[in-house]
Amino acid sequence: MIALRDGMPLVALPDGRSTCFDKRWITASIRSAAEQAGYDRWWLAEHIAESVSIYLHRDFAANSVEIPNLQDAVLTVLESLGFQDVA
């Protein structure tokens, strides 16, 4: 078995390459969506990104995760918190 850096899965990119997971990508994406929904400098973005990061570290069994799976994880958290407008 391969030990991945920080216990995080690699992110499988659409072009077939893989890269290390970076929580800042998700945070920036959530902030952008929140701004479009009318939330300026939304403070919850970092917390939601951290939730996804913890899920990947603790509960995600595979060695890599595809972008659509990351999107689904973020959408699930946003919707469960009642922020469908951001999702």
Side-chain angles (χ1 to χ4, degrees):
M1 176 163 189
I2 297 172
L4 299 174
R5 185 178 121 190
D6 300 329
M8 297 297 288
L10 294 172
V11 178
L13 301 173
D15 65 4
R17 295 179 300 134
S18 293
T19 190
C20 293
F21 174 80
D22 188 341
K23 184 173 52 175
R24 293 177 294 183
W25 299 337
I26 293 175
T27 302
S29 180
I30 294 169
R31 278 199 178 123
S32 176
E35 286 177 13
Q36 291 178 13
Y39 300 97
D40 186 38
R41 301 183 76 147
W42 200 41
W43 63 276
L44 277 176
E46 290 180 14
H47 297 283
I48 292 168
E50 181 65 21
S51 294
V52 172
S53 180
I54 290 170
Y55 160 71
L56 291 174
H57 182 72
R58 291 185 185 168
D59 300 323
F60 192 77
N63 289 335
S64 67
V65 60
E66 295 179 355
I67 300 292
N69 297 99
L70 281 177
Q71 290 172 329
D72 288 344
V74 172
L75 292 175
T76 298
V77 173
L78 288 167
E79 290 171 351
S80 70
L81 294 173
F83 292 103
Q84 288 81 1
D85 53 343
V86 178

